[in-house]
Amino acid sequence: MTEIRLYRMEMYVVALLLIFTNLLYTFVQNRTDKPQNKFFISVNGIVLINIITSILEEYIETQIMISNKAFILKNIMNYLYFIIHAMLCPMFAMYVVYAVGKQHKRTWSNNLLFGGLFIATEIIAVSNPLTNWVYTFDSNRVFHRSWGVYSIYLAAAFYYIYAVVTLFSSWNALTKKRRVSMVYFFLIVMFGVLIQMLNAEIRSELFSEALGLLGVMVAVENEDDRIDVNTGFCNRKALLNDIKSHIVNRRKLTVLNIRITNPEIIQRATGKANMDILADILADYLKSVIPRYQIYNVNPESFILTLVDKQTENALTLAQKISRRFELPFDSGGTELLLNTVVIKADVPDELKSAEDVLSMADQSLPKNNTKTLLIGEDLSYLLRRTAVEEAISRGITERTFEVYYQPTYHIKGKLHGAEALIRLHDSVIGNVFPDEFIPVAEQMGMIDILDNFVFSEVCRFLLSGIPDSFQMDCINVNLSVMHCMQPDFIEQINQIAERFGIDKRSINFEITESIAASDYGLLSSIVNVLKSEGYQFSMDDYGTGYSNMESIFSLDFDVVKIDKSILWNAEKSEIGRIVLENTVHMVRQMHRKILVEGVETSEQIALLDTLGVDYLQGYFFSRPVPKEDFVAYIQKAN
Ligand code: C2E
Ligand code: CA
Ligand code: CA
C-alpha cells in the first residue's frame, strides 16, 4: 500500500514537471496572444491545480484518521479537485475547436448544449457540500463516490467525443505533424483514464494528460516552422496551411496584399542590402492594425494580411487606411523612409480560388501600367489574365503552338547581315500572345529553358536548310534568358542541340539582355567565355535600358552591343536624347564592339545612324518579324 502511495507521488511530481515545462515554454516564447494559446494555458492550469490538490491529498492521506485538520483539508482538496477537473474536457474541446480553426462554426444551439452541460456539471460539483451528489465521507472518514461522479465522467466523455469529432472534421486542414500529436493526445489520455478507472490505486490520469499536453505543446503550439523569429510574422508555409484550413472550414476570408513598390529605397537609405529590414520597419505598424498571427511575410517586399469572419466586413476600410498610412514616412533607425505601396484586396474563394492562388498573387509582378494604389474587384483581372497566360504556355508546349519568327538585320550600307529569331505563341484559347507578356511568365514558371531551347533548335533546323548561307547571312540571333544561362547544365544543353544538328557554332549569335540585374556576373561571364571559345557569338541586348549598371559591359565580353530602340527614338524627340545616342555610340565604338541599333523605322534614322558610325540595323523599316517562309520570300525579293 505505502509503496503504491509513493509511486503515486512520483507520478504526480513528474506530471507537475511536465506541466511546468509546457507553461514555461509557452510564456518564454510569447505564445500567449492567440485564443488558441489561451485555451492551451487554461488546460495546463487546470491539470496543474489538479496535480497540486492531489499531491496535498496524498500527503495528508495517512493522517485523516487521527487529525481533524487533515480531514478538513482533505475535504477541501477533494472539493476543489472535482470542481476544477470538470472544466478540463470542455476547455480542451474548446482548444481543439480553435486549434483546427472551427471557432466560427459554433451555432447557437451548439453553444447552448456545450455551455448548458458545462454549467450543469459545475452545479453538481459545487453543490456537493449541501447535496453530497458527487461524494461523501462516512463516519469513519472513508471516501465514497456518488452518482455525481459518473455524471461528471459522462459529460467529460461527451466533450472528449466532441473534440475528436471536431478534429476529424478538419482533418484535411491539418498538417501531418499536428494530426499525429492530436491523435496521440487523445489516445494517451484515454489510456491513462482507463487504467485509473480499472484500478483506482494507480493514478495515471493526470500524468497521461500532462504527457499528452507536452506533445501538443511541441507539435501544435510550437510555431517555429511557421514563424520568423525576428518579426513574429508568419511565413509562406504558414500562409498555405492557414488558407487551406480556412477554405476547408468554409470561413469567410479576405486577403490584403501589401506590396512595397520601391524596395530599393531601403538599400539606399540604410546601406543594407538585406531586405528583411522591411519587415522590421513595418512590424510595429502592421501589428497595430491586426494581430501578428494574421500577418504573413511571403517575400521581402510582399505582405499578406488575412481577415476572417467578421473582420472581412471592414476589409475595404482597412485597405484604404493602410494605403493612407503609407503616404507618410516610416522610421528606420532615425532615417525617414517614404515607402510606395500597392494594396490588393481579394476575397477567397470568390476572387482567388486556392491558397496557391493567394501566394501567386503575392509573388506576381503588378500590372505594367498600374497607377492605382488600391486594387480591388475588376482591377484583379490581371491575375486572371496571368493564369490564362500560364495555361497557354503549358498548352503551347504540349500542343506545339509556339512558332519562331524572323526579323532581318542589315549592314549599315544596306547588305543583308542576318536575322533575329523571335518567339510567338498562337494559343487555341486566348489567341496570339506576345513574348513581352509571356516570357516573364515562363521565366517565373521555370519553363523559359524549354522555350529558349525550342527557338534554338528551330534556328539550327533553319541553318541546316542552307538558306541562310545562300544569302550570305553572317549569323542568326537567338535570345537567351539570363535565368536559363545560369542553370548548371546550360552549356551542355546548348551544345547538345548544336551538335545534334551539326551546325557551325559561328553562325549563332546569342543575345543576353543588359537590363537584368544579374546577381552573379562572374558566373555569367565565365559561361559566355566558354561558349565564345567554342565559336558562338554574343550580343548585349537592350543596351541603355538597364539599371545603368556598368558592370555588365565591363565583365561580359560581347561581340555586338544592341542599342535599345528607345535610345534611337528619344534622339528624335529632344536635343538631350540626341546627345545620349551619340555618346552611347561613341562609347561603344571606343570599346571596339560592333554596334547594332534596333527599332529603325525611317530612312532619316538610317541617315543619322550612318553618320554616327553604327554597324548594323534592325527594324520595321526593313521588315517586321515574320514566319520563316515569309522571311525567306522577303529576302529573296530584296536580293
Ligand atoms: P528584343 O529581343 O528586344 O526583341 C526586339 C523586339 O523589338 C521584338 O519584339 C521586335 O518585334 C521589336 N521590334 C523590332 N524592330 C522594331 C521596330 O522598328 N519598331 C518597333 N516598334 N518594334 C520593333 P517581340 O518580338 O515582341 O519580342 C519582345 C521581347 O521578347 C524581345 O525583345 C525579347 O526580349 C523577348 N523574346 C522574344 N523571343 C524570345 C526568345 O526566344 N527567348 C527569350 N528568352 N526571349 C525572347
Ligand atoms: Ca533580342
Ligand atoms: Ca532588344
Side-chain angles (χ1 to χ4, degrees), residues 336-397:
E336 298 226 308
L337 286 181
L338 201 54
L339 299 170
N340 298 336
T341 62
V342 171
V343 179
I344 310 169
K345 176 181 103 54
D347 293 333
V348 183
D350 293 347
E351 291 171 318
L352 299 175
K353 280 194 279 308
S354 64
E356 285 76 13
D357 283 356
V358 174
L359 205 55
S360 101
M361 166 187 72
D363 285 338
Q364 202 177 115
S365 43
L366 293 163
K368 253 202 181 130
N369 314 317
N370 176 55
T371 50
K372 297 183 181 175
T373 54
L374 185 59
L375 302 181
I376 52 172
E378 286 291 294
D379 301 334
L380 301 182
S381 60
Y382 81 98
L383 293 170
L384 291 179
R385 172 69 185 176
R386 155 82 186 215
T387 315
V389 170
E390 279 179 12
E391 287 164 4
I393 292 171
S394 306
R395 229 178 352 252
I397 292 169

Side-chain angles (χ1 to χ4, degrees), residues 543-545 563-573 598-599:
Y543 184 74
T545 57
I563 293 176
D564 191 70
K565 41 192 176 286
S566 63
I567 303 238
L568 172 65
W569 296 345
N570 284 335
E572 293 180 313
K573 286 188 200 144
E598 53 179 22

Side-chain angles (χ1 to χ4, degrees), residues 288-308:
S288 76
V289 298
I290 201 162
R292 57 126 194 114
Y293 49 84
Q294 289 178 282
I295 307 171
Y296 303 79
N297 194 184
V298 293
N299 72 46
E301 298 129 48
S302 182
F303 298 82
I304 293 268
L305 313 186
T306 53
L307 307 177
V308 285

Side-chain angles (χ1 to χ4, degrees), residues 337-477:
L337 286 181
L338 201 54
L339 299 170
N340 298 336
T341 62
V342 171
V343 179
I344 310 169
K345 176 181 103 54
D347 293 333
V348 183
D350 293 347
E351 291 171 318
L352 299 175
K353 280 194 279 308
S354 64
E356 285 76 13
D357 283 356
V358 174
L359 205 55
S360 101
M361 166 187 72
D363 285 338
Q364 202 177 115
S365 43
L366 293 163
K368 253 202 181 130
N369 314 317
N370 176 55
T371 50
K372 297 183 181 175
T373 54
L374 185 59
L375 302 181
I376 52 172
E378 286 291 294
D379 301 334
L380 301 182
S381 60
Y382 81 98
L383 293 170
L384 291 179
R385 172 69 185 176
R386 155 82 186 215
T387 315
V389 170
E390 279 179 12
E391 287 164 4
I393 292 171
S394 306
R395 229 178 352 252
I397 292 169
T398 48
E399 292 178 6
R400 299 172 173 275
T401 47
F402 284 104
E403 190 185 355
V404 177
Y405 277 32
Y406 294 89
Q407 184 181 32
T409 58
Y410 284 86
H411 289 276
I412 187 83
K413 296 300 179 197
K415 190 175 157 282
L416 181 67
H417 164 60
E420 177 175 5
L422 292 155
I423 193 166
R424 294 292 180 265
L425 172 57
H426 313 290
D427 184 56
S428 51
V429 177
I430 58 171
N432 289 343
V433 192
F434 280 87
D436 276 335
E437 185 174 18
F438 71 75
I439 292 286
V441 178
E443 285 182 335
Q444 282 174 28
M445 292 168 77
M447 290 184 156
I448 188 65
D449 50 343
I450 301 177
L451 303 193
D452 280 354
N453 290 344
F454 162 75
V455 174
F456 183 40
S457 305
E458 286 302 298
V459 168
C460 290
R461 218 183 292 278
F462 185 33
L463 284 169
L464 228 56
S465 72
I467 297 169
D469 256 355
S470 66
F471 288 95
Q472 284 103 46
M473 286 166 64
D474 290 344
C475 59
I476 296 186
N477 289 24

Side-chain angles (χ1 to χ4, degrees), residues 443 447-454 456 479-491 493-494 497 510 524 527:
E443 285 182 335
M447 290 184 156
I448 188 65
D449 50 343
I450 301 177
L451 303 193
D452 280 354
N453 290 344
F454 162 75
F456 183 40
N479 291 283
L480 289 176
S481 160
V482 171
M483 286 182 71
H484 181 199
C485 301
M486 295 290 199
Q487 289 180 359
D489 60 344
F490 169 70
I491 294 176
Q493 287 179 36
I494 291 299
I497 296 171
F510 287 122
L524 191 57
I527 292 169

Side-chain angles (χ1 to χ4, degrees), residues 191-220:
F191 188 66
V193 171
L194 280 179
I195 289 183
Q196 188 164 335
M197 250 163 69
L198 294 175
N199 182 351
E201 290 300 315
I202 304 176
R203 299 291 165 87
S204 50
E205 186 180 329
L206 290 171
F207 173 70
S208 64
E209 283 159 6
L211 193 59
L213 286 173
L214 185 76
V216 171
M217 199 264 301
V218 170
V220 184

